[in-house]
Amino acid sequence: MVLCGSLDVAAQTDRQLIRKGNKLYRQQNFAKAEVEYQKALAKNPRNTQAMYNLGCALMQLQKDSAAVQQFENAGKAETSKLRKAMVFHNIGFICQRHQMYGDAIEAYKESLRNNPSDNETRYNLELCKRQQKKQNQNKNDGGKNDDQQKDKKDQQENKQNKDKDKNKDQQKQQPKEQMSKENAEQLLNAAMQEEKATQQRLKKAMQHPQKRQLQKNW
């Protein structure tokens, strides 16, 4: 009788801590609720209700990794199918929030195995499937875009190399063009000087006309 009484007191103690934590949770005081659930687990490490509620408090505090750990512990120890369904639903929700759609899908499936009539879980499962499909498409499109950008970069580099080669060729041709231009100027100057000299000779000849001589008849 004494042993049974002692166990009953201990059981009531962890349940009381859970009730206190639940009250704080409803008041959205999740940090203090976490503390009470931790105390309850310290009293009774096999209390699946404390595990599950602690996971919920951690999830509200954005401590998702720790929350998943508590939910997994509860899922392993829980015997009630309905409670197991709730555990895996929450695991699926956290994975979905982090865009881990594959893990979310598996968690929702496990939840539905324990509670096939849960329409909310079924809806989340179908939503995750669509999100996963879209995510895979985006990854494939991203790979194609990377290839296109690489091709575009190669084309730009090829064009730059061609432009460099063209500039080199133009630079090589420039001295020839310059030499031809200089020769043309020299020839033009020489022609102008020759024409000037001719004009001077004609002018001089007109100023000093020669005497005409009569030719003898035959």
Side-chain angles (χ1 to χ4, degrees):
M1 292 294 292
V2 175
L3 290 175
C4 290
S6 298
L7 290 173
D8 185 58
V9 170
Q12 287 180 356
T13 302
D14 62 89
R15 285 200 297 268
Q16 288 174 350
L17 291 169
I18 290 172
R19 285 197 293 270
K20 186 177 179 181
N22 290 346
K23 183 178 179 181
L24 292 166
Y25 188 94
R26 287 192 295 271
Q27 294 172 354
Q28 298 187 357
N29 195 339
F30 304 118
K32 288 186 177 180
E34 176 193 355
V35 173
E36 297 304 318
Y37 296 140
Q38 292 279 15
K39 290 179 182 178
L41 280 175
K43 292 288 183 180
N44 182 9
R46 299 290 299 173
N47 191 319
T48 56
Q49 186 180 2
M51 296 176 195
Y52 175 80
N53 289 2
L54 176 58
C56 291
L58 291 168
M59 186 169 63
Q60 294 291 346
L61 293 168
Q62 304 296 319
K63 299 177 181 179
D64 288 347
S65 180
V68 169
Q69 185 62 54
Q70 290 301 322
F71 289 138
E72 288 177 347
N73 293 340
K76 293 175 183 177
E78 185 59 65
T79 57
S80 168
K81 283 186 172 295
L82 289 177
R83 287 188 176 182
K84 284 176 76 75
M86 294 170 66
V87 165
F88 286 103
H89 176 94
N90 283 359
I91 292 174
F93 178 83
I94 291 174
C95 292
Q96 185 178 2
R97 182 161 68 183
H98 289 276
Q99 298 182 1
M100 299 165 58
Y101 299 121
D103 294 332
I105 288 170
E106 293 304 316
Y108 286 139
K109 285 181 178 179
E110 185 62 28
S111 179
L112 287 171
R113 290 188 191 102
N114 289 277
N115 183 15
S117 62
D118 190 339
N119 291 327
E120 183 180 353
T121 300
R122 184 171 289 102
Y123 172 82
N124 286 2
L125 173 61
E126 294 303 319
L127 180 61
C128 266
K129 287 180 179 179
R130 290 198 295 270
Q131 290 172 326
Q132 185 184 47
K133 185 177 180 180
K134 185 177 180 181
Q135 186 182 62
N136 292 334
Q137 289 176 347
N138 290 337
K139 286 181 179 179
N140 293 333
D141 293 340
K144 291 179 181 177
N145 290 335
D146 290 341
D147 293 338
Q148 291 175 354
Q149 290 178 355
K150 186 177 179 181
D151 292 340
K152 187 175 181 181
K153 185 177 180 181
D154 292 339
Q155 290 176 358
Q156 290 177 345
E157 289 178 353
N158 291 334
K159 184 179 179 182
Q160 290 175 354
N161 291 332
K162 288 180 180 178
D163 291 340
K164 288 180 181 178
D165 294 338
K166 187 176 179 181
N167 290 334
K168 288 180 180 179
D169 294 338
Q170 289 177 350
Q171 290 174 357
K172 289 179 180 178
Q173 292 173 359
Q174 281 178 358
K176 294 181 180 179
E177 293 175 356
Q178 290 175 355
M179 290 175 64
S180 299
K181 186 176 180 180
E182 290 173 359
N183 290 336
E185 289 179 352
Q186 289 176 357
L187 292 173
L188 180 62
N189 290 333
M192 290 176 66
Q193 289 177 358
E194 185 176 356
E195 183 180 359
K196 186 176 180 181
T198 302
Q199 289 177 353
Q200 287 177 351
R201 285 196 299 270
L202 288 172
K203 185 176 180 181
K204 186 176 181 181
M206 291 179 68
Q207 290 177 352
H208 303 282
Q210 295 180 355
K211 294 180 180 180
R212 294 180 180 180
Q213 295 178 355
L214 296 174
Q215 298 293 334
K216 293 179 180 181
N217 294 333
W218 294 84

